[in-house]
Structures are given as C-alpha cells and as structure tokens.
Amino acid sequence: MLATSAAARSLLLRSRAASSAAASTLLGSTRSASLEPYSDYGKSLFTGRIADEYLKKHGSSGDILKDPSWTKTHSDVVAKAVLDWAVDRGANTYCHWFQPMASSGVRHGQTGQVQNMMMKFNRTTNDVEFDFDGKNLIKGETDGSSYPNGGLRATHQAGGYLAVDTSSPIFLRGDTIFIPSAFVSYYGAALDEKTPLLRSNAAISKHGKRLLKHLGLDIGDRAVVSNIGLEQEFFLVPREHYYRRPDLQLAGRTIMGRDAPRGQEMCDHYMAPPSMANPALACMQEIQDECWRLGIPLKTRHREVAPNQYEFAPLYGYNTTQIDQNLMVMQIIEEVSARHGLAALLQEKPFNDVNGSGKHNNWSIATEDGIMMLHPKAINNATGNPAAFAVIMSAIIAAVNEHGDLMRMAIASPGNDFRLGACEAPPAIVSTYLGDDMTFYLSHFKDGKGEGEYIPSLKTLDLGTREVLPFEVPAEDRNRTSPFPYGGARFEFRAVGSSQNPSMVNTVINTIVAEKFAEYSDRIDAGEEPHDIARQALNDNWRVVFNGNNYDEAMQKELTDRGIWRIDSGVEAVARLTAEKNVKLFEKMKVLTKEECESRQTILHDHYTGTVEIEAKCMIDMIQQHIIPSVKAAGIGPLGDLEAAITTLKSALKEVHEAEDSYKKAQLSRVLRLETMIDIRAVCDAAEEVVPANLWTLATYKELLFLDCHTSVPTEQEPTFYDE
C-alpha cells in the first residue's frame, strides 16, 4: 500500500517511541506518554506559537495577528515572518487561495489559486533573491470573468481582486503557502463563497452584541462568533473499477447500475472494524496524518452505513477556518485515496438504494472569549438573566420558521436531489427538533408559566451486572430525521450535502438569526421587554417545532398542513434566493445586494443544468459504447428500447439548450434527470440483469461497493499500513 514519505516517517517515529517506552518499562523506569512523534503536527499553520516565534525575529509577536489592522500597519513584518517560516519548511511559492462559486462536484478542491514563486532574479547581477513583501501578501488580482459570476463580470470588465482573510490562518502544503482570501469584482461585488459569509459574521456579531447587552451582558470590543463542526462523509471504491465507470469519473455518481445482491440491509457496515485486508484504513490514516500536519484537527474516523462509506469529523472551530479546512480535507481525501489504489466519491448519492453522504453542519454561537450562547446555564449565568437562553432560542426558532425557504435553498446542491428524504437525510421540510425536556421548558416559558433555570434531566441505566456499573445518560434521545435538531449548545443542520462548500449554509443561518437579534434589539430599544418579545415569537412560530418522525408520510403531511416551508425541488428552492422578503433580508443585514442575489441564483441554476447535462451525455456514451455492444454480443436484452433512449436523451438536451433563461433550463433539466433518465436507467439495468457477466464491460455495484470482498494482503507480504 502506498503512502507519502511524510506519513511513513511519522509512523516510524511513533513505532520508535513505542519501542523506547517498552524498553524503559523493562528497565523498571516510569515515563509519561510522549508527544515527540507528533511534533510536526500543526507546524504547517502560521498561527499560535509558530507565528509568534517567527514574528519575534522581526521585532513583533503573534499578538498582532489578532487585530485585522495588521494588514495596514504590519504587513511587511508579517510577510518577512511568513517568508522565513515558508523557507524553513521547504516552500518557495505562494498563492491567494479563494473559493469560486458553483464548484461542488466539478472543481478539484473547490478553490482557485495562482501560484507564484517567492523569488526573482536581480536585474543587475542576475542573482536569485527573495521577492515577497507585504503588498504580495495582502492582495492579489485575477480574471473575474473566467469564473461563474452570474453576469457580474464580463470579458471586457474582467477585474477580480483578492484580499487576505485575516480570520483564517495561512497554511503550507508541499512547496506552497496558501493565503485564504476573499474574491470580489472591481466594484466590490462578491464573486466567491467566502465574502458573504464574512459579511454574515459581521451581522451576527453586531446584532448579537446588541441583544446580549439588552439581556445584561456588555462584551465591549469582543465579538460574537459563529462556531461550527463539519462531519464529512464519502465513499472509497477500487480505482481499477472506477476507471470502468465513465459516470463516476465525470459526474461523480452512477447514473445506471443494477443493485448488488447485498446492500446495507443487514446493518453490518456502520462502525464495523476497518479491515486490514484492504487499503481503506491505511488511506484514512494517511489522510488524518496529513491533515494534522496542516493544523486540521481531524479527530474521528469510522465506517458509515453503506458499503465502502466512511466519515471523518474534526473538532469544532471558527466558521471561516472550519470551512477552509473542510475544503482542504475533501481535496486531501481525493488525492491520498489515489495513492492507495482507491477513488474517493464525495457526491451526495453516488449509488442507488444505499445511503448517500452528507456534511452535518453543527452550528453554535458564542462570545469571542468562549461564553456559549446556546448553553442554558452558561449564558444565563453570564448575563445574570434567567430568561436569556429562552430569548435567544426564541429568536432562532422564529428565524427557522420564517426563513425555512432560505435554509432549503442553501442545501440545494444537485446531489441532494436523490438524498433528501431518504433513510439517511431529513426530508425537504424545514422543522426543528428540541427534545421533550427543552420543548417542555420553552413551552412553559411561552405560556408564562415560569422562567426558571433549564436543567436537562438524566436517567440511570442499570444493566444488572457486576462488571458494568450503573451509568447516567441524557434523557433526550437523538432525532436523526430532523433537518435542524438542537443537540445541547448547538444546532445540527443535517441536510447539508457532502460535496457542498458549506459557506452559503452558514451565511444563511447567521443572517436569519442576526436579523431576529436586530428585530428584538430594535423593539427593546423602543421600550418592549425581552421576555414579552420572546413569548410572542414562540407563540407565533411554535409550529416549526417538531419532535416526531420526519420520515413518516403522515407526519410529513401534518407538517405541510401546518404551513412549514416545504420545497421538494432544489431548482425551485434556489429560486427563493430572489424572493422579495429574502432580498430585503440580505440587504438589511448587508450580506448580499439585490444584484448579488440575482447573480447567485443564475449561477446555481446554471450549475444544476450543467451537472445534468454532464450526466445525460455520460448516459448517451455509456449506452452507445458499452450497453448496446454488450446486448448485441449477448444476443439478449432490450436493444430497441436502448436505441430509442439515445434519441430521447438527445431531444431532451436540445430542449434544455433552447430554453430562454437559466431558471427555465434548470426546470427542464430537473425533468430530464428525475423522470426521463430514471426511466432510461431502468432499461439499462434490465439489460445488465440478462447480459452474461463476461460480456458486461461496465463495473458493477458488486465490484465497486465491497472492498472487503475484493482485496487482500498477499500471504508472502508482512501486513503493514505504510510501505515506502
């Protein structure tokens, strides 16, 4: 099995440390666990002790990075320190690293960058000298017209500008340092995913501070921040079989394929032990090792529900940093898997009839110094106000009820067409789960029956054994069917797609909550009492609270009858971006202008249409180049239906191309994808069912989905995780 030399070296160091510890034990000495084998972890991130060490060499310290004004006052000093650090780490190149729109499923790494050497030749002596200063660090320029821009840029008006995002640390990978950056037009319009997120952070900080002050806590110059944790699901499949699937290579999902005799019906994959007889574990170990070197705390790994499905989960952190790191995690997953003879599939639904993949977005808010605003005891104690938590929760519940359409828009990735509402993701009905205890507490509050402290109940489990003593567990259960459940100090947006850049998701949550905080503060300024506002909000918006089974069709009808936002079509959900109430919201919070909303809607519809076009063209090629020849060779199968399918697909694509605007093209593409192509898939799968295996040229689900059954370690080879 292949691995990077860095990962192999790391494993060797750990082995030596273990041998040394064992030797010490034999000699009778005692010693504590050593972190020496992990001394490189975090060294490729310019923050904390690393940044402080290099900045002190230039008469400053890491403290200056805490104030964004360093870009005006200390940019040259920071550039010198970054250069020293980069050269010491073997780097000689830099880039401004940004996030173009509509990248999921098509753009490797979902980011943009132009890599520049940090050197030049002296024009007089021709000697090599360093060429990297504050100006190079804080700003860059690129062609704004060559990225999806929804009409905000044109070839004759192409200026696009990059400015360093001081909230997310510079990092180093290979010979290159990456400078996280915002990407805007000549006129300041956002051309990326990050800029609106940063604006929404400003909004929730401004109005969160206002509300906290009204509730009894003045945090002064400190900010209110949004923290998130992003769980990343994905599939690993044998690369040799991946190369026999044009749809997986070009579209990221199988657009045809008969189910294998075995799927996930035995519940035998979830959290099963990773097998040492296939390369998946070694691959995941190397991914984690590389991420920790980059300062990405990728803490958890495990098997997921579907065959060959896995998950990574990091420790939570500030939202811009977490999103930057998640994009790099996805890129590393794809690159490292190839070195292990695997292909990583990040698309939401790569296989039919087994679970798809998500990116659960755990969202919370806190003061900059760590007072958690969604932790009842912490925020009530900090404010000295027993109603503070209830007031904050009421604002969030009102935001979800009023702007559930925007939350649905934010998760309208093409892959979620096939995932939402299945057994691994909530349906496209936006409600929130609170649990019985929290529901009881807030219900009493809204009905004026009390404002006491919220104390979540515990229950004791006694297994009746001597070996396992009785232990306590939360009385609240977990509701995996809810799109936005409260989980104790956080909400988990479970419907986010695995391939998505989650910036828009967090932009929306921040913005809708900030708007409610602003509304509350304005009303308090006008003389109303916070608890009266909160009670009214809870009574007006209580319908969005639902603790039942969101998969149950009867319950879905009940929620729909309540008037909760339900938008089954991702195309129609995207169209809500330019609804009058939503444009007013974004403009009021200074997150997006009307023009930016319109451009993003166009971009998202174009992205959907482009995705479907790729899939349809793959289907045409696969039918013509694989399935029809196989059917002819076998002398059996639905040949006439397959030939007719080619004409149907080409005609549907022509109709899409002739549509007058992006919205109409996307609507027609959805019909093509979810009706026409599904019908044609059934024909293709019927052919696979009868054609002998030796004449079927496409990789089957059986070959793709069961690593444990198709790989082994040669008997003459020592079992190991890494070989150089």
Coordinates of all heavy atoms in Angstrom, one line a residue, residues 96-147:
H96 N -2.8 33.2 -3.4 CA -4.0 33.6 -2.7 C -5.1 32.6 -3.0 O -5.4 32.3 -4.2 CB -4.5 35.0 -3.2 CG -3.6 36.1 -2.7 ND1 -2.5 36.6 -3.5 CD2 -3.5 36.8 -1.5 CE1 -1.9 37.5 -2.8 NE2 -2.5 37.6 -1.6
W97 N -5.6 32.0 -2.0 CA -6.5 30.8 -2.1 C -7.9 31.2 -1.9 O -8.3 31.7 -0.8 CB -6.0 29.8 -1.0 CG -6.5 28.4 -1.0 CD1 -6.4 27.5 -1.9 CD2 -7.3 27.9 0.1 NE1 -7.0 26.3 -1.5 CE2 -7.5 26.5 -0.3 CE3 -7.7 28.4 1.3 CZ2 -8.3 25.7 0.6 CZ3 -8.4 27.5 2.1 CH2 -8.7 26.2 1.8
F98 N -8.8 31.1 -2.9 CA -10.1 31.6 -2.8 C -11.1 30.5 -3.2 O -10.8 29.5 -3.7 CB -10.3 32.9 -3.6 CG -10.0 32.7 -5.0 CD1 -11.0 32.7 -6.0 CD2 -8.7 32.7 -5.5 CE1 -10.7 32.5 -7.3 CE2 -8.4 32.6 -6.9 CZ -9.4 32.5 -7.8
Q99 N -12.4 30.9 -3.1 CA -13.5 29.9 -3.3 C -14.5 30.4 -4.3 O -15.5 31.0 -4.0 CB -14.2 29.7 -1.9 CG -13.3 29.1 -0.8 CD -13.9 29.2 0.5 OE1 -15.1 29.3 0.7 NE2 -13.1 29.1 1.6
P100 N -14.3 30.0 -5.6 CA -15.2 30.4 -6.6 C -16.6 29.7 -6.4 O -16.7 28.7 -5.7 CB -14.6 29.8 -7.9 CG -13.2 29.6 -7.6 CD -13.1 29.3 -6.1
M101 N -17.6 30.4 -6.9 CA -19.0 29.8 -6.7 C -19.2 28.6 -7.7 O -18.5 28.4 -8.6 CB -20.0 30.9 -7.1 CG -20.0 32.0 -6.0 SD -21.3 33.3 -6.4 CE -20.5 34.3 -7.7
A102 N -20.2 27.8 -7.3 CA -20.6 26.7 -8.2 C -19.5 25.7 -8.5 O -19.3 25.3 -9.6 CB -21.3 27.2 -9.4
S103 N -18.7 25.3 -7.4 CA -17.6 24.4 -7.6 C -17.9 23.0 -7.3 O -17.1 22.1 -7.7 CB -16.4 24.9 -6.8 OG -16.0 26.2 -7.3
S104 N -18.9 22.7 -6.5 CA -19.1 21.4 -6.0 C -19.4 20.4 -7.1 O -20.1 20.6 -8.1 CB -20.3 21.3 -5.0 OG -21.5 21.6 -5.7
G105 N -18.6 19.3 -7.0 CA -18.8 18.2 -8.0 C -18.0 18.3 -9.3 O -17.9 17.4 -10.0
V106 N -17.4 19.5 -9.5 CA -16.7 19.6 -10.7 C -15.3 20.2 -10.5 O -14.3 19.7 -11.2 CB -17.4 20.6 -11.7 CG1 -18.6 19.9 -12.3 CG2 -17.9 21.9 -11.1
R107 N -15.0 21.1 -9.7 CA -13.7 21.7 -9.5 C -12.9 21.0 -8.4 O -13.4 20.9 -7.3 CB -13.9 23.2 -9.1 CG -12.6 23.9 -8.8 CD -12.8 25.4 -8.4 NE -13.1 26.2 -9.5 CZ -12.1 26.9 -10.2 NH1 -10.9 26.8 -9.8 NH2 -12.5 27.6 -11.2
H108 N -11.8 20.5 -8.8 CA -10.9 19.8 -7.8 C -10.5 20.7 -6.7 O -10.0 21.8 -6.9 CB -9.7 19.3 -8.5 CG -8.7 18.6 -7.5 ND1 -9.1 17.5 -6.7 CD2 -7.4 18.9 -7.2 CE1 -8.0 17.2 -6.0 NE2 -7.0 18.0 -6.3
G109 N -10.8 20.4 -5.4 CA -10.5 21.2 -4.3 C -11.5 22.3 -4.1 O -11.4 23.0 -3.0
Q110 N -12.3 22.6 -5.0 CA -13.4 23.7 -4.9 C -12.7 25.1 -4.6 O -13.4 25.9 -4.1 CB -14.4 23.3 -3.8 CG -15.2 22.1 -4.2 CD -16.5 22.0 -3.4 OE1 -17.1 23.0 -3.1 NE2 -16.9 20.8 -3.0
T111 N -11.5 25.3 -5.0 CA -10.8 26.5 -4.7 C -10.1 27.0 -6.0 O -10.0 26.3 -7.0 CB -9.8 26.5 -3.6 OG1 -8.8 25.5 -3.9 CG2 -10.5 26.1 -2.3
G112 N -9.8 28.3 -6.0 CA -9.0 28.9 -7.1 C -7.6 29.4 -6.5 O -7.5 29.7 -5.3
Q113 N -6.6 29.4 -7.3 CA -5.3 29.9 -6.9 C -4.4 30.1 -8.1 O -4.5 29.4 -9.1 CB -4.7 28.9 -6.0 CG -4.5 27.5 -6.6 CD -4.4 26.4 -5.6 OE1 -3.3 26.0 -5.3 NE2 -5.5 25.9 -5.1
V114 N -3.5 31.1 -8.0 CA -2.4 31.3 -9.0 C -1.2 31.2 -8.2 O -1.0 32.0 -7.2 CB -2.6 32.6 -9.7 CG1 -1.3 32.8 -10.6 CG2 -3.8 32.7 -10.5
Q115 N -0.3 30.3 -8.4 CA 0.9 30.0 -7.6 C 2.0 30.8 -8.2 O 2.4 30.7 -9.4 CB 1.2 28.5 -7.6 CG 0.0 27.7 -6.9 CD 0.3 26.3 -6.7 OE1 1.4 25.8 -7.1 NE2 -0.5 25.6 -6.0
N116 N 2.7 31.6 -7.3 CA 3.8 32.5 -7.7 C 5.0 32.1 -6.9 O 4.9 32.0 -5.7 CB 3.4 33.9 -7.5 CG 2.3 34.4 -8.3 OD1 2.3 34.5 -9.5 ND2 1.1 34.7 -7.6
M117 N 6.2 32.1 -7.6 CA 7.4 31.9 -6.8 C 7.7 33.1 -6.0 O 7.4 34.2 -6.3 CB 8.6 31.7 -7.8 CG 8.5 30.4 -8.6 SD 8.9 28.9 -7.7 CE 10.7 29.1 -7.7
M118 N 8.3 32.8 -4.8 CA 8.6 33.9 -3.9 C 10.1 34.4 -4.1 O 10.8 34.9 -3.2 CB 8.5 33.4 -2.4 CG 7.1 32.8 -2.2 SD 7.0 31.9 -0.6 CE 6.9 33.2 0.6
M119 N 10.5 34.3 -5.4 CA 11.9 34.7 -5.8 C 11.8 35.5 -7.1 O 10.9 35.4 -7.8 CB 12.7 33.5 -5.9 CG 12.9 32.8 -4.6 SD 14.0 31.3 -4.7 CE 13.0 30.2 -5.7
K120 N 12.9 36.1 -7.4 CA 13.2 36.8 -8.7 C 14.7 36.8 -8.9 O 15.5 36.5 -8.0 CB 12.6 38.2 -8.6 CG 13.2 39.1 -7.7 CD 12.6 40.5 -7.7 CE 13.3 41.5 -6.8 NZ 12.7 42.8 -6.8
F121 N 15.0 37.2 -10.1 CA 16.4 37.5 -10.5 C 16.7 38.9 -10.3 O 16.0 39.8 -10.8 CB 16.8 37.0 -11.9 CG 16.8 35.5 -12.1 CD1 15.9 34.8 -12.8 CD2 17.9 34.8 -11.5 CE1 15.9 33.5 -12.9 CE2 18.0 33.4 -11.7 CZ 17.0 32.8 -12.4
N122 N 17.8 39.3 -9.7 CA 18.3 40.7 -9.6 C 18.6 41.1 -11.0 O 19.4 40.5 -11.7 CB 19.5 40.8 -8.7 CG 20.0 42.2 -8.5 OD1 20.5 42.8 -9.4 ND2 19.8 42.7 -7.3
R123 N 18.1 42.2 -11.4 CA 18.2 42.7 -12.8 C 19.7 43.1 -13.1 O 20.1 43.1 -14.3 CB 17.3 43.8 -13.1 CG 15.8 43.4 -13.2 CD 14.9 44.6 -13.6 NE 13.5 44.2 -13.6 CZ 12.9 43.6 -14.6 NH1 13.6 43.3 -15.7 NH2 11.6 43.2 -14.5
T124 N 20.4 43.4 -12.1 CA 21.8 43.8 -12.3 C 22.8 42.7 -12.3 O 23.6 42.5 -13.2 CB 22.2 44.9 -11.3 OG1 21.3 46.0 -11.3 CG2 23.7 45.4 -11.5
T125 N 22.7 41.9 -11.2 CA 23.6 40.8 -11.0 C 23.2 39.4 -11.5 O 23.9 38.5 -11.7 CB 24.0 40.6 -9.5 OG1 22.8 40.2 -8.8 CG2 24.4 42.0 -8.9
N126 N 21.9 39.3 -11.8 CA 21.2 38.0 -12.1 C 21.3 37.0 -11.0 O 21.0 35.8 -11.2 CB 21.8 37.4 -13.4 CG 20.8 36.5 -14.1 OD1 19.6 36.9 -14.2 ND2 21.3 35.4 -14.6
D127 N 21.5 37.5 -9.8 CA 21.5 36.6 -8.6 C 20.0 36.4 -8.2 O 19.2 37.3 -8.4 CB 22.3 37.2 -7.5 CG 23.8 37.2 -7.7 OD1 24.2 36.4 -8.5 OD2 24.4 38.1 -7.1
V128 N 19.8 35.2 -7.7 CA 18.4 34.9 -7.2 C 18.2 35.6 -5.8 O 19.1 35.6 -5.0 CB 18.2 33.4 -7.0 CG1 16.8 33.1 -6.3 CG2 18.2 32.7 -8.3
E129 N 17.1 36.3 -5.7 CA 16.8 36.9 -4.4 C 15.3 36.7 -4.1 O 14.5 36.4 -5.0 CB 17.1 38.4 -4.4 CG 16.5 39.2 -5.5 CD 17.1 40.6 -5.6 OE1 18.3 40.8 -5.4 OE2 16.2 41.5 -5.8
F130 N 14.9 36.8 -2.8 CA 13.5 36.7 -2.5 C 12.7 37.8 -2.9 O 13.1 39.0 -3.0 CB 13.4 36.5 -0.9 CG 13.9 35.1 -0.5 CD1 15.0 35.1 0.4 CD2 13.3 34.0 -0.9 CE1 15.4 33.8 0.9 CE2 13.7 32.7 -0.4 CZ 14.8 32.7 0.4
D131 N 11.4 37.5 -3.2 CA 10.5 38.5 -3.8 C 9.1 38.3 -3.1 O 8.3 37.7 -3.7 CB 10.4 38.5 -5.3 CG 9.5 39.5 -5.9 OD1 9.4 40.6 -5.3 OD2 8.9 39.2 -6.9
F132 N 9.0 38.7 -1.9 CA 7.7 38.5 -1.2 C 7.7 39.6 -0.1 O 8.4 39.5 0.9 CB 7.6 37.1 -0.6 CG 6.3 36.8 0.0 CD1 5.2 36.6 -0.7 CD2 6.2 36.7 1.4 CE1 3.9 36.4 -0.1 CE2 5.0 36.5 2.0 CZ 3.8 36.3 1.3
D133 N 6.7 40.5 -0.2 CA 6.6 41.6 0.8 C 5.1 41.7 1.2 O 4.3 40.9 0.8 CB 7.2 42.9 0.3 CG 6.5 43.4 -1.0 OD1 5.4 42.9 -1.3 OD2 7.1 44.2 -1.7
G134 N 4.9 42.7 2.0 CA 3.5 42.9 2.5 C 2.5 43.1 1.4 O 1.4 42.7 1.5
K135 N 2.9 43.8 0.3 CA 2.0 44.0 -0.8 C 1.6 42.7 -1.5 O 0.4 42.5 -1.8 CB 2.6 45.0 -1.8 CG 1.7 45.3 -3.0 CD 2.4 46.3 -4.0 CE 1.5 46.6 -5.2 NZ 2.2 47.5 -6.1
N136 N 2.6 41.8 -1.6 CA 2.3 40.5 -2.2 C 1.4 39.7 -1.3 O 0.5 38.9 -1.8 CB 3.6 39.7 -2.4 CG 4.6 40.4 -3.3 OD1 5.8 40.5 -3.0 ND2 4.1 40.8 -4.5
L137 N 1.5 39.8 0.0 CA 0.8 39.0 1.0 C -0.7 39.4 1.0 O -1.6 38.6 1.0 CB 1.4 39.2 2.3 CG 0.7 38.6 3.5 CD1 0.6 37.0 3.4 CD2 1.4 38.9 4.8
I138 N -1.0 40.7 1.1 CA -2.3 41.1 1.4 C -3.3 41.2 0.3 O -4.5 41.3 0.4 CB -2.3 42.4 2.2 CG1 -1.8 43.6 1.4 CG2 -1.5 42.3 3.5 CD1 -2.0 45.0 2.0
K139 N -2.8 41.3 -1.0 CA -3.6 41.5 -2.1 C -3.2 40.8 -3.4 O -2.0 40.6 -3.6 CB -3.8 43.0 -2.4 CG -4.8 43.4 -3.4 CD -5.0 44.9 -3.5 CE -3.8 45.6 -4.1 NZ -4.0 47.0 -4.4
G140 N -4.1 40.3 -4.2 CA -3.8 39.7 -5.5 C -4.8 40.1 -6.5 O -5.8 40.8 -6.2
E141 N -4.6 39.7 -7.7 CA -5.6 40.0 -8.8 C -5.7 38.9 -9.7 O -4.7 38.1 -10.0 CB -5.1 41.3 -9.5 CG -6.1 41.7 -10.6 CD -5.6 43.0 -11.4 OE1 -4.6 43.6 -10.9 OE2 -6.2 43.3 -12.4
T142 N -6.9 38.6 -10.3 CA -7.1 37.6 -11.2 C -8.2 38.0 -12.2 O -8.8 39.1 -12.1 CB -7.4 36.2 -10.5 OG1 -7.4 35.2 -11.5 CG2 -8.7 36.3 -9.8
D143 N -8.5 37.1 -13.1 CA -9.6 37.4 -14.1 C -10.9 37.0 -13.6 O -11.2 35.8 -13.5 CB -9.2 36.5 -15.4 CG -10.3 36.7 -16.4 OD1 -11.3 37.4 -16.2 OD2 -10.2 36.0 -17.5
G144 N -11.7 37.9 -13.2 CA -13.0 37.7 -12.6 C -14.1 37.1 -13.6 O -15.1 36.5 -13.2
S145 N -13.8 37.3 -14.9 CA -14.8 36.8 -15.9 C -14.8 35.4 -16.2 O -15.7 34.8 -16.8 CB -14.7 37.6 -17.2 OG -13.4 37.3 -17.8
S146 N -13.7 34.7 -15.8 CA -13.5 33.3 -16.1 C -14.0 32.3 -15.1 O -13.8 31.1 -15.2 CB -12.0 33.0 -16.4 OG -11.6 33.7 -17.5
Y147 N -14.7 32.9 -14.1 CA -15.3 32.1 -13.0 C -16.8 32.3 -13.1 O -17.3 33.3 -13.6 CB -14.8 32.4 -11.6 CG -13.3 32.3 -11.5 CD1 -12.5 33.4 -11.7 CD2 -12.7 31.1 -11.1 CE1 -11.1 33.3 -11.5 CE2 -11.4 31.0 -11.0 CZ -10.6 32.1 -11.2 OH -9.2 32.0 -11.0

